């Protein structure tokens, strides 16, 4: 039997402003689940989001590659890199803009993770093809974790 030589699957996590506390814990949860499934996680966030993850995991047990969000967008746009799946964390209009951008420039299967106080309104604004995962989660990540677990995207 020949060894599997297909490229390893990758997943991109697009993190915006970490204003809503659940973002960091859900990002670490997803990174852990995907790594356990043998899928390589890459984090693309703004400076504050990336710093929160680096401080939370200083020995990088969970996080691996981490980069500036604008650099990731540029690499995908220039066709230098792409991913199999992309999770965009959304708690405001800027998150929707990033998700729509990813839906246009990337071949990845797009998942929108919508959370926060205005989650229903934000979900109604998403008009591009994607898998929507949403929960009214601000401080407690469990409602969003439950919604994610129902989809189990690491098993896809």
């Amino acid at each position: 039997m020949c060894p599997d030589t297909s490229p390893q699957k990758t997943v991109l996590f697009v993190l915006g402003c970490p204003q809503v506390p659940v973002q960091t814990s859900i990002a670490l949860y997803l990174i852990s689940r995907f790594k356990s499934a043998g899928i390589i996680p890459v984090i693309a966030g703004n400076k504050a989001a990336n710093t929160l993850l680096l401080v939370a995991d200083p020995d990088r047990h969970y996080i691996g590659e981490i980069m500036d969000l604008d650099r990731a967008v540029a690499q995908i746009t220039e066709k230098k890199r792409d991913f199999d799946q992309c999770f965009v964390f959304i708690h405001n209009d800027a998150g929707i803009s990033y998700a729509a951008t990813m839906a246009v420039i990337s071949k990845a299967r797009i998942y929108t993770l919508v959370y926060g106080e205005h989650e229903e309104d934000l979900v109604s604004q998403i008009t591009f093809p994607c898998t929507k995962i949403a929960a009214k989660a601000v401080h407690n990540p469990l409602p969003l974790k439950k919604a994610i677990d129902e989809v189990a995207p690491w098993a896809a």
Side-chain angles (χ1 to χ4, degrees):
M1 187 179 211
C2 295
D4 183 10
T5 58
S6 60
Q8 196 166 11
K9 291 190 176 192
T10 58
V11 59
L12 178 67
F13 297 104
V14 175
L15 306 175
C17 174
Q19 179 181 4
V20 179
V22 301
Q23 177 175 275
T24 302
S25 61
I26 290 296
L28 286 169
Y29 172 71
L30 281 169
I31 292 163
S32 174
R33 292 304 301 250
F34 277 96
K35 281 181 85 171
S36 293
I39 300 168
I40 299 172
V42 176
I43 300 156
N46 68 21
K47 186 172 182 167
N50 288 349
T51 301
L52 280 172
L53 287 171
L54 288 167
V55 169
D57 187 19
D59 296 325
R60 293 196 174 200
H61 294 289
Y62 297 101
I63 62 173
E65 185 178 356
I66 191 165
M67 71 174 78
D68 177 76
L69 180 53
D70 292 331
R71 183 172 147 235
V73 169
Q75 286 183 353
I76 296 167
T77 301
E78 296 165 4
K79 306 288 187 218
K80 293 180 179 175
R81 188 167 196 186
D82 212 342
F83 300 87
D84 298 296
Q85 297 179 71
C86 177
F87 286 76
V88 183
F89 287 68
I90 299 172
H91 72 91
N92 59 25
D93 292 341
I96 293 173
S97 295
Y98 274 111
T101 297
M102 289 299 176
V104 170
I105 66 171
S106 177
K107 69 169 180 60
R109 180 172 180 182
I110 306 296
Y111 293 83
T112 55
L113 295 174
V114 187
Y115 53 94
E117 293 179 4
H118 307 290
E119 151 264 334
E120 289 178 7
D121 179 49
L122 292 168
V123 167
S124 71
Q125 295 177 48
I126 298 172
T127 59
F128 48 88
C130 65
T131 300
K132 299 174 192 174
I133 302 172
K136 193 173 203 83
V138 178
H139 294 95
N140 179 1
L142 293 179
L144 187 54
K145 178 191 174 297
K146 180 181 178 192
I148 292 167
D149 288 346
E150 289 173 2
V151 175
W154 46 84

